[in-house]
Amino acid sequence: MAAISENKVVTITYDLSVTDENQEKVLVESAEADAPMVFLFGHSGLPEEFEAQLNGKNVGDNFQFSLTPDQAYGDYDEQALVEIPKEVFLIDGKLDDEMLQEGNFLPMADNEGNHMQAKVVSIGESVVKMDFNHPLAGMVMHFAGKVQDVRDASAEELAHGHVHGEGGHQH
């Protein structure tokens, strides 16, 4: 039986809770058996400490750990709240009111072409306030789950840096 290690395809189920302002755990996400999380260990883009907590675990092992903001997505950064001119969001001279709604996450790119997600915070007369913080920035995250599968990554998966097929990327 293969243990979780570098270049293994890992399948897990989990519940993710965060600590709210009242210091209570609130469930924010679940990956169940019918839609588990599948990732290429060591190439996932997940926080290093997340992978470190799973390293060496085997199929059937349960896990439970917490990550502080400095181990995950950092502290919430007020500087990441940005006002963008409304005309940036025009498509063929019109605003897409379905897309441009408070709370929606939109794909954005900076001047260097780096892609990121940003949350629409508010829509004013001439500007849209966007939040470029990771949605889990500033939060203590609590994971509880189980390792469902561990397998060797294929040469193609290693070359591409992500999982293919069931639960992974389709080309």
Side-chain angles (χ1 to χ4, degrees), residues 16-88:
L16 166 60
S17 300
V18 296
T19 304
D20 70 8
E21 58 277 353
N22 299 320
Q23 301 307 305
E24 294 182 23
K25 289 183 183 177
V26 177
L27 181 68
V28 294
E29 182 178 281
S30 290
E32 303 293 336
D34 60 342
M37 178 181 186
V38 182
F39 63 97
L40 181 55
F41 194 86
H43 305 271
S44 67
L46 294 164
E48 284 182 35
E49 186 60 24
F50 178 88
E51 287 195 349
Q53 291 290 331
L54 295 176
N55 195 26
K57 297 210 177 299
N58 294 291
V59 173
D61 285 354
N62 291 310
F63 59 86
Q64 188 166 342
F65 59 88
S66 297
L67 299 180
T68 60
D70 63 306
Q71 295 171 315
Y73 299 106
D75 290 323
Y76 188 85
D77 181 5
E78 293 292 333
Q79 300 288 321
L81 285 173
V82 179
E83 290 188 345
I84 299 174
K86 216 173 192 176
E87 56 264 15
V88 168

Side-chain angles (χ1 to χ4, degrees), residues 122-134:
S122 64
I123 303 163
E125 282 297 313
S126 60
V127 296
V128 177
K129 186 180 273 189
M130 303 290 291
D131 185 348
F132 286 89
N133 282 290
H134 187 282

